[in-house]
Amino acid sequence: VLSCSGLSTDNDGETITTNYAWTNQTQATSLGSGGTLILTPSTVAPGDTVQCTVTATDPHGASDSVDVSVDVENTDPVVTSVTLTPNSGVQNGDVVTCSATSSDTDGSAVTMSYTWSINGNPSGTGASITLSSAVDGDVVECTATAMDADGGTGIGTADLTVENSSPVATSVVLTPNNPNSQTSALTCTANGTDVDGDSVSFSYEWLIDNQIQSETSNMLSGPFVVGSLIACRATPTDGKDDGTPVEDSTTVENTTPT
């Protein structure tokens, strides 16, 4: 809102009438009259010059005028919201997308751009990022920048914390792989990886003919019954989450009598 006021004197001591006229000097348009003027995007734009003409008139029609003007400055756009998708359950390897909304009181067109950081370190640009080397606990932040046609900018941010990725069992092997009734013990050897770099350990479950055994180490002691199906089920863990169990199995073989 602009306000315009003028002071005038009359040597005859007569009553003076004061009028105000507003114009957009840049666009050569009339904006109205009165002591105040509300600026809107439909009447002015950043960089326009708005002029107030004050005219003092005495009862005989004699008048005098004076002009005063002001330049309209640009108002920076405002980022009203920033959204990350997905915003929870995010793990290394996921793709995260950033979207934002903005407003501009000047009615100017706004262009949005995005930058990413992980733990404060620049990590990319664009609306999406693929987390290829993030670990649980990392903070991923998107900064959305709105820029209007006059170069004014506004920013907004949103962030999320990368969650733990479960370890993956890559192999499990029973040795020996052709046991008989005289085999003293079977050993279960498992290997795994963790994309977060966490140490991977295993818990073990033994089954004989689909019946769970009490042994929980990686070694099952004999003797074994010929024809029995023996399985070792290994479950990887990183101390935070368990991975999908894998298993290997073998059948106790018969030995030729002597």
Side-chain angles (χ1 to χ4, degrees):
V1 178
L2 296 180
S3 296
C4 186
S5 61
L7 296 175
S8 59
T9 60
D10 186 273
N11 291 331
D12 301 323
E14 295 176 313
T15 301
I16 298 174
T17 302
T18 304
N19 294 303
Y20 303 91
W22 298 89
T23 56
N24 185 326
Q25 294 295 99
T26 304
Q27 300 183 30
T29 56
S30 174
L31 300 178
S33 59
T36 60
L37 175 70
I38 298 176
L39 303 181
T40 66
S42 63
T43 58
V44 296
D48 285 355
T49 298
V50 175
Q51 178 176 286
C52 173
T53 300
V54 184
T55 301
T57 305
D58 68 14
H60 304 286
S63 65
D64 187 36
S65 298
V66 65
D67 298 325
V68 62
S69 61
V70 63
D71 292 332
V72 178
E73 296 184 2
N74 181 53
T75 301
D76 290 338
V78 176
V79 176
T80 53
S81 69
V82 183
T83 303
L84 296 179
T85 306
N87 62 2
S88 64
V90 175
Q91 299 175 327
N92 186 57
D94 289 346
V95 176
V96 181
T97 300
C98 187
S99 59
T101 59
S102 64
S103 62
D104 189 279
T105 57
D106 299 323
S108 176
V110 175
T111 301
M112 196 72 66
S113 61
Y114 304 92
T115 58
W116 297 86
S117 67
I118 298 178
N119 298 329
N121 300 311
S123 301
T125 60
S128 297
I129 186 174
T130 299
L131 302 179
S132 58
S133 58
V135 298
D136 62 306
D138 281 353
V139 176
V140 179
E141 182 178 75
C142 171
T143 298
T145 301
M147 177 177 289
D148 64 22
D150 297 286
T153 59
I155 65 171
T157 62
D159 61 53
L160 58 81
T161 300
V162 177
E163 298 185 12
N164 184 57
S165 297
S166 299
V168 175
T170 55
S171 66
V172 59
V173 177
L174 279 176
T175 53
N177 62 2
N178 55 348
N180 56 50
S181 61
Q182 305 304 308
T183 300
S184 60
L186 285 172
T187 300
C188 187
T189 303
N191 292 289
T193 61
D194 188 280
V195 296
D196 299 321
D198 295 327
S199 177
V200 179
S201 60
F202 287 85
S203 61
Y204 299 91
E205 187 175 59
W206 292 91
L207 300 91
I208 298 179
D209 293 331
N210 293 320
Q211 298 298 310
I212 297 175
Q213 306 299 297
S214 60
E215 183 61 62
T216 57
S217 72
N218 71 328
M219 181 176 292
L220 180 67
S221 299
F224 304 111
V225 177
V226 173
S228 297
L229 177 65
I230 301 177
C232 170
R233 183 176 297 152
T235 302
T237 181
D238 58 8
K240 305 166 190 174
D241 295 295
D242 291 343
T244 302
V246 294
E247 66 178 55
D248 189 23
S249 61
T250 186
T251 300
V252 180
E253 298 180 356
N254 182 50
T255 57
T256 302
T258 58

